[in-house]
Amino acid sequence: MDMLRGEQIAEADLTEWRKLAQGLHARYLVDGFDAGARFIATLGHVGDAVGHYPRVSMGKGYVDLKLVSDDAIYRDDDGTEYVVEWVTQQDVDLARRITEVAADHELEADPASVCDIELGLDTARSATIAPVWAALLTGSAESQGRGTPSDEIRDATGRVPNLWFGDDEPEASGQRFHVEVYVAPEAAEQRIAAAVAAGGIVVDDSDAPSLTVIADQDGNRGVLCVAAPAAKKD
């Protein structure tokens, strides 16, 4: 299936889901382990019916879900096709069905709390160094370029954050690595304010609200990222 652009995802109006990085994310609040397990079991049956499943993690009081297709089609400006990890129509359709299941289970969604983490590394030699990071992070050479036309490192099982490579040399500070924190749009302002209150400094908000660069007291930088909304704004 073709990958969906941000505006197409927003038009789907998935009010309980947020588009972070490559996928759709949702959190549902559950009253205990048994309630979460029953919800997940039902999702298994739903997934069996369509041959597509969410990635699931569960903790005390919540079930986190991620929907992404590993065979989405991306076309560049020249019309060349690439198979990538991204949101497709099957993810949108399954998100709607999961929302219905959650309602049947009388579960409350908490979309503002979803979050995703990626790592960025500035280098002009990604093809040279990527095999080292693929081996170190995942133990598999196949994770290099998996689900992306670049050298990005992506673990098929989601054990570690994605590592992508910037094309630029490091900042004047010499920092090469940085963390990218993806949050829901409604959570961004509070997250930035909390970081600043803790002593952080906003060093670049020229691309806000999509990207806000924040430094700690030692000058280490991270990026707060807000992807396109998964629902239309009122």
Side-chain angles (χ1 to χ4, degrees):
M1 290 187 179
D2 288 349
M3 62 179 284
L4 297 182
R5 304 290 180 176
E7 59 272 16
Q8 293 173 301
I9 296 172
E11 285 297 320
D13 206 23
L14 304 172
T15 57
E16 296 185 355
W17 297 76
R18 296 294 180 268
K19 167 67 169 56
L20 306 181
Q22 294 79 31
L24 295 172
H25 295 253
R27 168 169 286 190
Y28 289 98
L29 306 180
V30 295
D31 184 18
F33 186 90
D34 287 346
R38 289 194 298 271
F39 177 50
I40 294 171
T42 304
L43 298 186
H45 296 307
V46 171
D48 287 342
V50 297
H52 189 50
Y53 304 88
R55 296 179 183 176
V56 180
S57 63
M58 183 170 69
K60 185 177 181 179
Y62 68 87
V63 172
D64 283 348
L65 305 172
K66 177 181 179 180
L67 285 169
V68 64
S69 296
D70 59 10
D71 56 356
I73 301 300
Y74 163 71
R75 295 179 182 84
D76 64 17
D77 293 338
D78 297 327
T80 303
E81 293 187 353
Y82 301 90
V83 178
V84 299
E85 285 186 338
W86 201 262
V87 176
T88 67
Q89 188 61 46
Q90 70 175 350
D91 298 302
V92 169
D93 293 342
L94 186 52
R96 289 196 178 106
R97 184 70 185 95
I98 290 173
T99 296
E100 294 173 353
V101 171
D104 292 340
H105 283 250
E106 299 182 343
L107 301 182
E108 178 184 353
D110 186 14
S113 68
V114 297
C115 184
D116 199 16
I117 302 293
E118 292 194 343
L119 304 175
L121 175 57
D122 292 324
T123 177
R125 302 192 301 153
S126 63
T128 301
I129 69 173
V132 176
W133 290 103
L136 182 61
L137 291 174
T138 73
S140 171
E142 294 180 357
S143 63
Q144 179 181 344
R146 180 185 175 277
T148 170
S150 70
D151 289 314
E152 186 171 330
I153 310 302
R154 295 184 184 177
D155 177 28
T157 65
R159 294 169 297 176
V160 296
N162 292 344
L163 170 63
W164 65 271
F165 302 97
D167 294 329
D168 301 325
E169 289 296 335
E171 301 281 347
S173 64
Q175 181 178 346
R176 286 185 178 270
F177 269 110
H178 68 270
V179 176
E180 299 205 337
V181 183
Y182 288 81
V183 300
E186 61 267 43
E189 184 176 347
Q190 184 277 333
R191 189 69 66 95
I192 294 170
V196 170
I201 301 170
V202 174
V203 297
D204 186 356
D205 59 1
S206 58
D207 291 321
S210 298
L211 302 172
T212 302
V213 182
I214 299 174
D216 65 15
Q217 294 91 330
D218 285 341
N220 303 301
R221 297 185 178 190
V223 183
L224 187 85
C225 306
V226 178
K232 294 179 291 186
K233 295 181 179 179
D234 295 331

